[in-house]
Amino acid sequence: MKSKFKADKNGYYGQFGGAFIPELLYPNVKELEDNYLKIIESESFQKEYKRLLKDYVGRPTPLYLAPRLSEKYGTQIYLKREDLNHTGAHKVNNTIGQILIAKQLGKKRIIAETGAGQHGVATATVCALMNLECVVFMGEIDIKRQAPNVARMKMLGAKVVPATSGSKTLKDATNEAIRDWIGNPEDTYYLIGSVVGPHPYPDMVARLQAIISEEMKWQLKEHTGKETPDTVIACVGGGSNAAGAFYHFLDDESVELIAVEAAGLGVHSGESAATSQLGDVGVLHGSKTILMQDEYGQVIEPYSISAGLDYPGIGPLHAYLNESNRAKFMNATDQEALDAAYELTKLEGIIPALESAHALAVLEKIDFKKDQVVVVNLSGRGDKDLETYIKHLGK
Ligand SMILES: *Cc1c(COP(=O)(O)O)cnc(C)c1O
């Protein structure tokens, strides 16, 4: 049966998606579009992808029934421990997959854009692993804000190129990456870090992150006797960890899907990244989706305490999940996320990434039943956020 939550052949989810790209990029995108499914579905790709996920990344990640958190909220809360992956988050599932695709296409040089540096690090990591040249574009302001990740990328052998135009942040880095790709169509592969960008990226990245819900199914069966949960909760920046956590449950309407955006200082404070609440339809990063924009269609700079959720759009799948009400979109402020992070640390001895803490922060806003099976996707670990956590402790 054809799923309405999987991209159609032109990369659309309802009205969202597609490939809105400059003509000069067409050959690159077409080459990928013509080949990605063949490669992903091939036996040799699957074997190598699964081998690296197991031996290099450390998968499967545990599905952990969190007893004290469950008791606090009067329900059954499981944490999908993406924080235990090599490099500390779910992002590596995608970069491992795409680096294998790039190699299969005969590419010699990898480019990527990064905001907080997490995707840059995950890309530089797999480039070191595969001995491929790596160039990461990063806004000049972000380079200053995210010095530890810049150091990691450099140690991993990547060249970090500052984007000095516009607001000198993620969207400018994206523009630079696209410009580079246009100039180097033959040997270069553009490795995008979330379920965003022109078709086929959103569908490709969702398939590579789908390992998260694939594992959940057999792990839930072991824990509860049933493959499906009642509720899955995940944070949304671009939407890749949520897409992976939702993927195998999209067509099963008995599974409640909850996507959590960053509300920053408050949804209507002017300092927020709650795209589904504040955005409307437009084209961002080559895809028709929902984005935060002003009356002239200029992107509004988003804000969140968590760098990974600080993105002015959501991927087209999520725009559709929101419009069709298949997923419920909620949000959490900076302070709510901080409180949820301190709570998880105290109750379970797990320091979550600030992004993941947004997913945890909605637990107190939901009325759960006692026997409800709730999975929270713990997208990453909090080491990178320690400075922020210490600074706000006891405030
Ligand atoms: C990058 C990141 C996110 C946000 O990206 P998505 O594509 O929405 O998943 C969430 N959590 C962590 C830990 C991240 O590093």
Side-chain angles (χ1 to χ4, degrees):
M1 199 189 69
K2 184 92 189 68
S3 164
K4 49 177 184 160
F5 300 107
K6 306 277 156 74
D8 71 15
K9 72 177 195 334
N10 297 318
Y12 278 88
Y13 306 85
Q15 64 159 319
F16 301 111
F20 296 80
I21 50 172
E23 204 171 310
L24 286 166
L25 266 190
Y26 184 77
N28 309 45
V29 173
K30 180 83 170 104
E31 180 187 29
L32 188 58
E33 191 190 335
D34 287 344
N35 288 289
Y36 82 107
L37 279 180
K38 258 186 289 187
I39 295 174
I40 289 181
E41 285 167 0
S42 71
E43 207 173 297
S44 58
F45 173 90
Q46 282 298 326
K47 213 172 135 205
E48 188 60 357
Y49 173 62
K50 293 280 166 72
R51 182 185 73 82
L52 287 169
L53 288 184
K54 176 167 173 280
D55 295 343
Y56 185 71
V57 175
R59 301 199 74 93
T61 59
L63 183 72
Y64 169 64
L65 174 60
R68 295 181 66 202
L69 196 68
S70 296
E71 194 187 326
K72 163 110 204 252
Y73 292 103
T75 190
Q76 309 292 314
I77 300 174
Y78 291 85
L79 302 175
K80 182 58 174 157
R81 298 289 310 275
E82 293 301 299
D83 59 313
L84 295 178
N85 284 323
H86 177 48
T87 68
H90 67 291
K91 285 197 171 73
V92 72
N93 302 326
N94 169 47
T95 57
I96 288 272
Q98 284 196 57
I99 203 82
L100 292 175
I101 293 171
K103 272 183 57 169
Q104 193 71 41
L105 293 173
K107 304 296 178 183
K108 303 275 181 273
R109 179 173 174 268
I110 305 297
I111 58 170
E113 85 286 336
T114 195
Q118 296 297 106
H119 172 57
V121 169
T123 303
T125 299
V126 297
C127 286
L129 176 68
M130 297 293 173
N131 193 26
L132 288 174
E133 184 185 348
C134 182
V135 179
V136 179
F137 295 93
M138 190 169 186
E140 199 171 35
I141 291 184
D142 290 334
I143 288 180
K144 293 208 183 86
R145 286 196 288 209
Q146 312 289 343
N149 276 339
V150 175
R152 280 184 195 106
M153 286 184 267
K154 288 188 175 159
M155 179 151 178
L156 288 159
K159 185 173 159 202
V160 180
V161 179
T164 54
S165 64
S167 52
K168 303 182 175 62
T169 59
L170 180 60
K171 75 171 164 41
D172 313 290
T174 303
N175 291 339
E176 294 294 333
I178 289 174
R179 200 165 304 150
D180 180 290
W181 205 24
I182 291 174
N184 300 282
E186 294 293 325
D187 68 337
T188 296
Y189 181 89
Y190 182 17
L191 206 161
I192 294 183
S194 189
V195 284
V196 300
H199 177 62
Y201 283 99
D203 182 51
M204 178 169 67
V205 176
R207 285 168 189 265
L208 296 173
Q209 291 291 359
I211 186 71
I212 299 173
S213 47
E214 189 183 312
E215 290 174 2
M216 270 184 205
K217 279 172 44 177
W218 61 260
Q219 291 173 321
L220 281 168
K221 177 108 182 172
E222 279 182 9
H223 279 283
T224 70
K226 206 171 144 233
E227 277 194 345
T228 51
D230 296 306
T231 303
V232 184
I233 305 176
C235 66
V236 172
S240 68
N241 86 89
F246 295 169
Y247 196 83
H248 288 281
F249 309 120
L250 286 167
D251 293 311
D252 182 347
E253 304 255 349
S254 75
V255 180
E256 179 185 39
L257 306 176
I258 297 180
V260 185
E261 293 177 318
L265 302 182
V267 173
H268 299 290
S269 65
E271 298 288 335
S272 164
T275 304
S276 72
Q277 305 299 306
L278 300 168
D280 42 38
V281 179
V283 171
L284 180 68
H285 207 162
S287 167
K288 185 173 171 194
T289 190
I290 300 286
L291 62 136
M292 290 166 43
Q293 54 190 326
D294 66 17
E295 57 186 310
Y296 305 104
Q298 294 297 310
V299 172
I300 295 174
E301 280 290 311
Y303 164 79
S304 164
I305 193 170
S306 128
L309 302 185
D310 196 350
Y311 185 70
I314 47 177
L317 165 63
H318 294 286
Y320 185 59
L321 291 174
N322 179 47
E323 188 189 65
S324 62
N325 289 317
R326 173 64 188 94
K328 182 171 172 185
F329 276 68
M330 301 180 70
N331 56 69
T333 63
D334 288 358
Q335 190 59 52
E336 288 167 339
L338 287 166
D339 292 343
Y342 298 133
E343 178 179 86
L344 184 73
T345 305
K346 201 165 113 209
L347 293 180
E348 301 288 349
I350 298 170
I351 302 177
L354 261 169
E355 293 82 0
S356 322
H358 285 72
L360 295 162
V362 301
L363 290 171
E364 64 170 22
K365 304 180 184 187
I366 302 171
D367 278 326
F368 293 110
K369 297 198 189 70
K370 206 169 170 348
D371 60 355
Q372 192 167 337
V373 174
V374 179
V375 180
V376 179
N377 197 40
L378 206 70
S379 55
R381 69 175 84 121
D383 308 29
K384 67 182 177 57
D385 301 313
L386 270 189
E387 205 178 310
T388 309
Y389 286 145
I390 301 293
K391 197 170 106 195
H392 289 86
L393 201 59
K395 269 201 190 157

